[in-house]
């Protein structure tokens, strides 16, 4: 709200014979030093943009600068201007001042940082025409110094170079943000515009037809816009070379420039007021225009004219003065839609009022000031001011006007309106006093009847003020003063320089909270005679990042908790509320942007956390209060983050999205949400919290005028009960404390303590309120107790009936419905029970929501919902819409005829329109009941109701037509009806025919029996059911004819035993064959045995075996296979295999049967199947023998591996020795492995001996042979204790052989080093009697021959060959002596040796080594 206040830097010019310029102080007092008087009038005043420096232009051309507070006067040189000053314009930062006069002389002056004029003008130019207006061109975008600094810190070399001018190769310093544009545009009275640049060059830019009233420059589009005195708007595009090109020209609406007041906004919005009932706005950027008008509902009068306008860029507020002395204020709000497009909305506020017709408006540089000039020859400066208000001890004070207070005493329920002698800047109340501060003085009042009287006043310029009991607390630099009501300082609370100056004071209970400008906070205890500090002085800057300043500091009633609202470094309010625990020295917070407390302060239940996140997200706190008496209870007002409330922390404008949020704050449980509710729309803001009430300030209906007056003011403070105290507003303290404890315990989820807290309360309202809280907490067990105490039997029954619902939310929704709460809909949606939500909507009569819910979420009940809605519409008399929903519910075939029964014509039209067969049929029945047979037949035909047609035709005696319809359509019901008619007329053949078409075979059979139609009877019986087949078979059997038909019918009917009995009796072997094919294991065993005997007699043994197996006679079936040499297939063997859990055979009998099956398979050569059956019988030895006969090596190896029996290992190894193990290492590996696992060490030794012989005979590899013989010795050594003497003898022989092999190997190895010794060893080996087979004789002789040939002793070599030939006459020399040595020997002896070629396969004279007989076993 704007109120009439004078401001320090207010300047006034007076006209008449003498003129003057003067200053007024903040109290409206004249500042003597800042006063200039001349004998002529001032023509222009212009404030410096940042300093208390005023430029004054006079009508004689004199120009001067007037500064505050010194009153220093700096005149410009006298010879500069000689005509009336028409142009005074400061640059954006105030370093340049442009002056111009009516003679066309323009000058540019430099002003330093101290506001001092620097000598002669920088530029002076004479345009010879009166100058009208001037604007500076905005500077180009400057470098972001903060961003450059961050880049430089992170290591960006280019950013570092920009800070280092000497290193930078750009040659100049970068553009700082403080630079300003010094180029400007100036216009003359003939419509010319000149561009004046920094080098003092003035060039013509554009020219228009008449005098220019105002100009504006678009930095984004590089466009200059001018408005002439004829309201012609022209836009010029400015090129890089200073060339201007006109792009548009528009005639603005209005009464002419002599009546028009024109302003521009930074965004290119042209606003004009020309004494009409609206102001016009033209958006140059978007080429759009519209108008704003006044609203009589806000206090404006009809026919009120708008004379002048002024726009505040920082606040985005447009002010307009009216002809009735009102200042209209529009707040500009920019709204973005989902597509990203922005739109501007103007919100009209309640007006401020002054005397007279307002002719001129001007916003001050502080954005909170508005100067108003009216026809009453006075200038009023309106200052935006927050309403002062305070509440304490059931006393509330609210400021109504600059000097008027509304006081309310809630103890006595009285209120008065009091007018002070000074403007009110702050107010504080206690139960006995009212303290008012006007900026300089504090005045203390005490109530006296219906008014107040002053008890003391003293000078004090403290910006913060609080009162507690008899003490007044004020601030001055670095300390807090504690004063008496007369102003005497009783005590000083000192703060160090680091702790800063106190700026925030607040009292709650008996505790004082102090906040300083350096963000330090502290709490003082006021319960004693002197204030005592509690805890430590806390610097919040160390705990809160990005902390700029403290907005609000409050403490609770016990002084244990401190809550703080802050502003960030950038000046924006923070979204968090911070809580400092003085005793624990800890800081916590609740973030309203996310809707969650910090992680350590989570809600006690997920539901509470969900509520926080859903309702409190994207908000910002604007005010905070602790309960006056309850230290746990805290409340704050929050708004959306995009609200204009955040534009200024000092403003409290009307918003509909304000939430009042209440918390419990404790050390044990942290921060707990107690309640959140929207602020009532009729109330302005929250004033205080004093259980059981919230205290709100009411909205002012109309703002008082600036003139002093004392209206009869309404009640300005109202109270609203807390949620838990609705119905308990006047309860005593014990009940109030009990309810607070109950609410707290319920919030933390401790139901036991909650019950203890309220067990003594008898009020039904309390229990109902508690039941409502149970809806929030979802505690149904508590709700049942509450409903019982309320005596609400209906709600208790409804709650008990919903216990079957699995979702707790669904049960809670029923409780909410019974209590008349609006939570049911939300609860049903949250748990996804749209079926119950559908029922809820129907019960509430919200049929459209019910239908939408059914269509989108509850489609299983969609038709039911349509039907219920249709019934509702029918009851309401809307039959046309009911008909639509009956159709949607698919019940129209019955419901619509019922509904329209009394209106036959409408019903017939509806039926013909629908073309529905069921409706045609119903209408046909109706017409038939009315004896209108022809029409009925027509509708039966449309409905394709052939039975009804046949029935009507038969009724009319036209059975021929009925027969045709039955034959053509094949309708069973129609055919049956015709058959009954023919049977009644004794036309048996026709009746049987139509019974057959109707598939009523029993009736047809009955007629055939009665009329001896045996030929047709068989076919009918086969088409009919088993009962009719049995009946017909018995009929044939009794007659003794067609016995084959009887057997077949018994068989088809499933009576197999009867069929077989009759077939045996009549010796129908063909029928027996067919019947036997259908016999299976489920048939009668005796019957199966009888059939098998039958097949045995007729040599059909395979079928007999199958029947015996089905009869569980396995031994007989197997014996039959053996006797008749039947091949046992795998399927037959499986069928003969009895399951393990069978009751027909014991386990021993089952194994015996399996072995017999396997024996039979062995005889038939099916070794694999025999192996399988032996294995199933548990006889793995026989299974292995069968597998050995099959010769399947892979399966033998696998079976041996899985059987894990010694005998089987040995059998498998013996079998593998019969294979080509010499060329297959895998087989050799398996042989060794199986002998080892089978513990057959003697056999393994024999295998190693065989391996050694192979190495010697095939590869002459005595080293490997030696290794194999060594392994054989090891095996025999291990087997020595088992086999006795036989093993000992074998071991001696093997050891001797091993020694011979070793001697030969040593001889070959020592040959190179000691050939003589090697020859001696070989000679000694030849003397051994049993050298062969340990070492082949040929290998020894061959070694000697090679030795002698190598040394050239061919005579000795020839001698050794002769010895070898004598010993082995048929030996093949090439196997033992190399080809090279033989050829050398031949050449030396001159004799051609005859030796066997290596390809000859004649047998050597060596005896074959017999295989170990164990290998064949």
């Amino acid at each position: 709200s704007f109120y009439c206040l004078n401001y320090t830097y207010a300047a006034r010019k007076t006209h008449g014979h003498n003129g003057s310029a003067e200053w007024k102080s903040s109290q409206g007092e004249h500042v003597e030093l800042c006063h200039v008087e001349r004998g002529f009038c001032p023509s222009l005043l212009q404030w410096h943009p940042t300093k208390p420096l005023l430029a004054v232009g006079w009508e004689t051309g004199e120009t001067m600068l007037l500064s505050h507070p010194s009153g220093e006067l700096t005149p410009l040189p006298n010879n500069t201007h000689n005509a009336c000053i028409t142009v005074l314009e400061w640059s954006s930062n105030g370093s340049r001042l442009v002056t111009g006069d009516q003679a066309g002389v323009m000058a540019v002056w430099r002003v330093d940082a101290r506001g001092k004029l620097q000598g002669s003008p920088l530029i002076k130019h004479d345009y010879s025409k009166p100058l009208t207006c001037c604007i500076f061109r905005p500077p180009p975008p400057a470098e972001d110094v903060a961003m450059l600094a961050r880049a430089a810190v992170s290591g960006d070399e280019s950013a570092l170079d920009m800070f280092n001018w000497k290193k930078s190769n750009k040659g100049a310093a970068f553009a700082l943000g403080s630079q300003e544009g010094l180029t400007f545009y100036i216009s003359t009275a003939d419509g010319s515009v000149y561009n004046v640049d920094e080098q003092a060059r003035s060039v013509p830019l554009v020219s228009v037809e008449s005098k220019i009233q105002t100009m504006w420059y678009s930095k984004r589009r590089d466009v200059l816009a001018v408005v002439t005195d004829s309201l012609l708007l022209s836009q010029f595009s400015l090129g890089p070379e200073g060339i201007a090109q006109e792009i548009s020209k528009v005639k603005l609406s209005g009464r002419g420039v002599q009546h028009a007041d024109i302003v521009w906004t930074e965004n290119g919005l042209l606003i004009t007021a020309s004494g009409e009932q609206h102001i016009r706005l033209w958006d140059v950027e978007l080429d759009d225009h519209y108008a704003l008008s006044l609203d009589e509902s806000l206090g404006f009068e009809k026919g009120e004219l708008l004379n002048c306008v002024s726009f505040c860029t920082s606040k985005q507020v447009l002010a307009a003065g009216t002809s009735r002395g009102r200042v209209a204020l529009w707040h500009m709000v920019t709204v973005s839609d989902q597509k990203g497009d922005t739109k501007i909305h103007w919100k009209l506020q309640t007006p401020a009022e002054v005397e007279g017709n307002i002719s001129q408006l001007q916003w001050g540089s502080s954005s909170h000031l508005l100067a108003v000039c009216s026809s009453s020859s006075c200038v009023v400066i309106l200052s935006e001011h927050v309403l002062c208000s305070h509440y304490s001890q059931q006393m509330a004070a609210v400021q109504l006007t600059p000097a008027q207070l509304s006081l309310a005493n809630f103890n006595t329920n009285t209120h008065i309106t009091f007018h002070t002698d000074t403007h009110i800047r702050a107010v504080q109340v206690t139960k006995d006093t009212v303290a008012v501060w006007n900026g300089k003085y504090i005045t203390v009042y005490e109530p006296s009847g219906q008014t107040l009287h002053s008890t003391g006043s003293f000078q004090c310029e403290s910006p913060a003020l609080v009162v507690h009991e008899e003490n007044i607390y004020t601030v001055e630099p670095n300390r807090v003063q504690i004063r008496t009501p007369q102003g005497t300082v009783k005590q000083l609370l000192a703060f160090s320089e680091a702790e800063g100056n106190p700026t925030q004071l607040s009292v709650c209970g008996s505790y004082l909270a102090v906040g300083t400008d350096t963000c330090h906070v502290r709490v003082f205890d006021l319960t004693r005679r002197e204030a005592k500090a509690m805890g430590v002085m806390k610097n919040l800057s160390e705990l809160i990042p990005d902390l700029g300043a403290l907005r609000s500091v409050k403490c609770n009633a016990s002084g244990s908790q401190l809550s703080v609202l802050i502003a960030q470094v950038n000046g924006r309010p923070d979204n968090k509320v911070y809580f400092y625990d003085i005793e624990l020295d800890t800081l916590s917070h609740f973030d309203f942007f996310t809707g969650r407390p910090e992680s350590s302060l989570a809600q006690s239940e997920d539901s509470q956390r969900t509520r926080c996140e859903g309702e409190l997200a994207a908000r910002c706190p604007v005010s905070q209060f602790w309960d006056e008496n309850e230290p746990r209870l805290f409340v704050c007002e929050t708004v959306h983050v995009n609200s204009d409330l955040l534009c200024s922390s000092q403003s409290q404008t009307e918003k509909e999205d304000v939430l009042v949020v209440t918390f419990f704050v404790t050390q044990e449980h942290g921060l707990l949400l107690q309640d959140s509710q929207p602020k009532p729309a009729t109330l302005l803001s929250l004033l205080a919290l004093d259980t059981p009430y919230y205290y709100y300030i009411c909205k002012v209906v109309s703002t008082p005028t600036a003139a002093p007056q004392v209206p009869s003011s309404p009640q300005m403070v109202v109270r609203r009960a807390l949620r838990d105290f609705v119905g308990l507003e006047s309860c005593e303290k014990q009940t109030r404390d009990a309810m607070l404890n109950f609410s707290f315990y319920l919030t933390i989820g401790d139901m036991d303590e909650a019950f203890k807290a309220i067990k003594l309360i008898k009020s039904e309202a309390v229990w109902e309120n508690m039941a409502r809280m149970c809806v929030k907490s979802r505690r149904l067990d508590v709700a049942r107790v509450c409903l019982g105490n309320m005596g609400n039997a209906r709600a208790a029954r409804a709650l008990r009936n919903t216990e079957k619902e699995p979702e707790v939310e669904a049960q809670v929704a029923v409780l909410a419905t019974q209590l008349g709460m609006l939570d049911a809909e939300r609860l049903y949606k949250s748990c996804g029970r749209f079926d119950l939500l559908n029922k809820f909507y129907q019960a509430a009569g919200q049929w459209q929501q019910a239908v939408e819910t059914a269509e989108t979420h509850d489609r299983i009940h969609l038709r039911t919902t349509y039907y219920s809605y249709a019934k509702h519409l029918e009851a309401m008399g809307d039959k046309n819409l009911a008909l639509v929903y009956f159709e949607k519910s698919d019940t129209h075939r019955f419901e619509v005829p019922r509904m329209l029964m009394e209106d036959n014509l409408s019903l017939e039209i509806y039926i013909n329109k629908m073309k529905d067969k069921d409706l045609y049929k119903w209408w046909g029945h109706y017409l038939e009941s009315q004896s209108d047979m022809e029409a009925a037949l027509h509708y039966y035909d449309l409905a394709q109701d052939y039975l009804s047609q046949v029935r009507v035709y038969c009724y009319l005696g036209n059975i021929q037509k009925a027969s045709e319809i039955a034959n053509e359509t094949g309708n069973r019901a129609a055919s049956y009806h015709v058959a009954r008619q023919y049977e009644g007329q004794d036309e048996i053949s026709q009746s049987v025919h139509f019974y057959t078409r109707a598939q009523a075979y029993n009736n047809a059979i009955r007629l055939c029996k009665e009329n001896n139609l045996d030929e047709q009877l068989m076919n009918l019986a086969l088409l009919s059911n088993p009962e009719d087949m049995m009946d017909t078979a018995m009929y044939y059997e009794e007659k003794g004819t067609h016995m084959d038909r009887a057997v077949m019918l018994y068989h088809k009917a499933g009576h197999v035993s009867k069929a077989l009995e009759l077939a045996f009796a009549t010796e129908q072997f063909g029928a027996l064959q067919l019947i036997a094919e259908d016999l299976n294991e489920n048939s009668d065993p005796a019957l199966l045995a009888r059939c098998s005997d039958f097949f045995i007699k007729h040599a059909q043994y395979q079928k007999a075996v199958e029947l015996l197996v089905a009869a569980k006679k396995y031994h007989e079936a197997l014996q039959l296979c053996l006797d008749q040499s039947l091949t046992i297939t795998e399927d037959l063997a499986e069928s003969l295999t009895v399951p393990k859990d069978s009751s027909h055979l014991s386990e021993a009998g089952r194994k015996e049967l399996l072995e017999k099956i396997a024996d039979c398979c062995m005889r038939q050569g099916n070794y694999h199947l025999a192996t399988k059956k032996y294995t199933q019988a548990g006889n793995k030895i026989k299974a292995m023998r069968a597998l050995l006969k099959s010769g399947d090596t892979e399966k033998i190896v696998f079976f041996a591996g899985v059987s894990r029996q010694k005998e089987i290992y040995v059998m498998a190894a013996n079998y593998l020795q019969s294979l080509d193990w010499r060329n297959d290492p895998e087989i050799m590996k398996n042989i060794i492995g199986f002998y080892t696992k089978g513990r057959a060490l003697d056999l393994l030794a024999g295998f190693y001996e065989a391996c050694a012989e192979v190495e010697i005979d095939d590869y002459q590899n005595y080293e490997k042979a030696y290794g194999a013989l060594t392994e054989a010795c090891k095996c025999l050594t291990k087997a020595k204790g088992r086999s006795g003497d036989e093993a000992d003898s074998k071991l001696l022989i093997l050891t001797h052989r091993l020694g011979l092999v070793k001697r030969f190997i040593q001889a070959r190895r020592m040959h190179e080093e000691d050939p003589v010794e090697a020859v001696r060893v070989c000679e000694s080996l030849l003397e051994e009697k049993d050298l062969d087979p340990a070492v082949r004789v040929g290998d020894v002789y061959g070694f000697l021959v090679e030795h002698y040939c190598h040394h050239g002793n061919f005579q000795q070599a020839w001698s050794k060959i002769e010895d070898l030939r004598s010993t082995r006459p048929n030996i093949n020399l090439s196997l033992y002596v190399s080809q090279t040595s033989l050829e050398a020997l031949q050449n030396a002896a001159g004799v051609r040796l005859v030796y066997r070629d290596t390809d000859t396969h004649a047998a050597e004279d060596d005896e074959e080594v017999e295989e170990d007989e164990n290998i064949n076993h």
Side-chain angles (χ1 to χ4, degrees), residues 648-949:
S648 171
S649 61
Q650 300 296 322
S651 63
Q652 296 181 1
T653 56
E654 174 190 349
K655 291 298 290 182
E656 297 176 356
D657 58 350
V658 179
L659 268 186
V660 178
V661 186
T662 310
F663 296 95
F664 279 113
V665 184
T666 63
Q667 290 182 353
E668 297 81 5
H669 302 93
L671 191 62
L672 300 170
L673 176 66
Q674 193 265 346
D675 188 24
S676 64
Q677 55 179 292
K679 184 200 69 179
T682 57
L683 304 178
L684 181 65
S685 63
L686 186 66
L687 177 61
L689 171 63
D690 192 358
T691 309
Y693 292 106
Y694 297 114
Y695 289 82
Y696 289 97
I697 301 174
C698 297
K699 293 181 180 178
V700 181
V701 177
S702 62
T703 304
T705 63
Q709 56 181 337
V710 184
S712 64
S713 174
Q715 174 72 27
M716 287 302 297
V717 178
V718 296
R719 51 188 185 180
R720 297 285 185 267
L722 273 73
R723 181 194 65 190
D724 304 343
F725 289 90
V726 175
L728 296 174
E729 293 86 348
S730 58
C731 63
E732 67 280 3
K733 185 178 185 303
Q734 180 182 2
T735 303
R736 183 166 65 247
D737 293 342
M739 282 305 299
L740 276 173
N741 288 331
F742 170 76
S743 179
F744 173 72
Y745 289 128
L746 198 63
T747 303
I748 65 174
D750 191 342
M751 297 309 302
D752 295 333
E753 292 296 329
F755 272 121
K756 290 179 183 178
I758 60 161
K759 63 182 178 180
L760 298 178
I761 298 178
K762 304 298 182 182
S763 171
E764 286 188 12
V766 175
W767 291 107
E768 181 177 357
N769 191 47
M770 193 190 315
R772 292 174 179 272
M773 293 175 67
C774 291
V775 173
K776 304 289 185 183
S777 62
R778 303 184 183 182
R779 288 299 303 265
L780 296 175
D781 52 345
V782 181
R784 294 186 185 94
V785 177
C786 296
L787 294 175
N789 284 283
M790 291 167 57
N792 193 338
R794 183 183 65 181
R797 180 177 180 273
L799 189 60
R800 185 171 62 252
N801 291 338
T802 59
E803 291 178 355
K804 64 180 183 295
E805 301 295 345
E807 298 87 358
V808 176
E809 292 88 347
Q811 302 178 38
V812 175
V814 172
L815 175 62
T817 304
Q818 294 296 325
L819 295 175
M821 300 175 68
L822 302 177
D823 297 47
E825 181 178 353
R826 176 180 57 82
L827 288 166
Y828 283 136
K829 288 180 179 178
S830 67
C831 67
R833 288 303 301 271
F834 294 100
D835 54 336
L836 298 178
L837 178 63
N838 187 357
K839 290 181 180 180
F840 172 78
Y841 282 142
Q842 293 183 34
Q846 301 177 23
W847 287 101
Q848 288 301 326
Q849 290 93 323
V851 170
E852 290 174 5
T853 301
E855 288 175 344
T856 54
H857 298 100
D858 187 28
R859 295 193 65 83
I860 195 171
H861 295 114
L862 180 59
R863 289 178 55 189
T864 306
T865 305
Y866 285 150
Y867 179 77
S868 300
Y869 188 32
K871 295 289 285 184
H872 168 74
L873 291 170
E874 182 185 356
M876 299 300 293
D878 191 351
K879 292 187 177 181
N880 290 331
L881 193 55
L883 186 144
V884 172
Y885 280 95
F886 276 134
E887 290 175 2
K888 288 186 176 182
S889 67
D890 200 27
T891 58
H892 60 286
R893 296 175 183 85
F894 172 78
E895 294 294 341
V896 173
R898 176 193 57 75
M899 183 174 65
L900 300 178
M901 193 64 204
E902 296 179 359
D903 188 357
N904 288 341
L905 181 60
S906 299
L907 181 55
E908 184 175 5
I909 292 172
Y910 174 78
I911 289 172
N912 288 327
K913 183 187 75 172
M914 291 299 292
K915 297 180 180 179
D916 186 273
K917 291 181 180 180
D918 291 329
L919 289 175
Y920 282 145
K921 181 178 178 180
W922 186 92
W923 188 243
H925 286 330
Y926 174 75
L927 293 174
E928 185 181 351
S929 69
Q930 300 297 315
S931 301
D932 190 353
M933 299 300 180
E934 291 298 326
L937 283 170
H938 170 69
Y939 281 100
Y940 286 145
D941 183 36
L942 292 175
Q944 297 180 1
D945 186 2
Y946 304 115
L947 173 60
S948 296
Q949 292 182 57

Side-chain angles (χ1 to χ4, degrees), residues 1253-1264:
E1253 292 177 2
V1254 169
E1255 292 296 335
I1256 293 172
D1257 293 342
D1258 293 350
Y1259 308 107
Q1260 291 84 43
N1261 193 335
Y1262 282 90
E1263 285 80 1
K1264 283 189 177 182

Side-chain angles (χ1 to χ4, degrees), residues 1195-1209:
K1195 288 186 178 180
I1196 290 169
V1197 171
F1198 175 77
F1199 188 77
V1202 299
S1203 296
R1204 299 180 180 273
Q1205 290 187 10
K1206 296 180 181 179
E1207 297 84 351
I1208 293 176
Y1209 281 132

Side-chain angles (χ1 to χ4, degrees), residues 86 119 153 274 340 342 366 421 501 511 584 596-597 605 781 906 953 993 1083 1142 1263 1329 1369 1398:
T86 58
V153 170
S274 55
T342 58
S366 69
D421 298 330
N501 300 316
Y511 296 91
L584 299 181
R596 294 191 301 269
E605 295 183 7
D781 52 345
S906 299
Y953 278 121
H993 167 71
S1083 303
S1142 175
E1263 285 80 1
K1329 295 181 180 180
T1398 55

Side-chain angles (χ1 to χ4, degrees), residues 14 73 116 143 168 383 456 602 740 828 993 1316 1334:
T14 62
L73 188 66
K116 303 294 184 181
E143 298 284 354
S168 175
S383 173
L740 276 173
Y828 283 136
H993 167 71
V1316 176

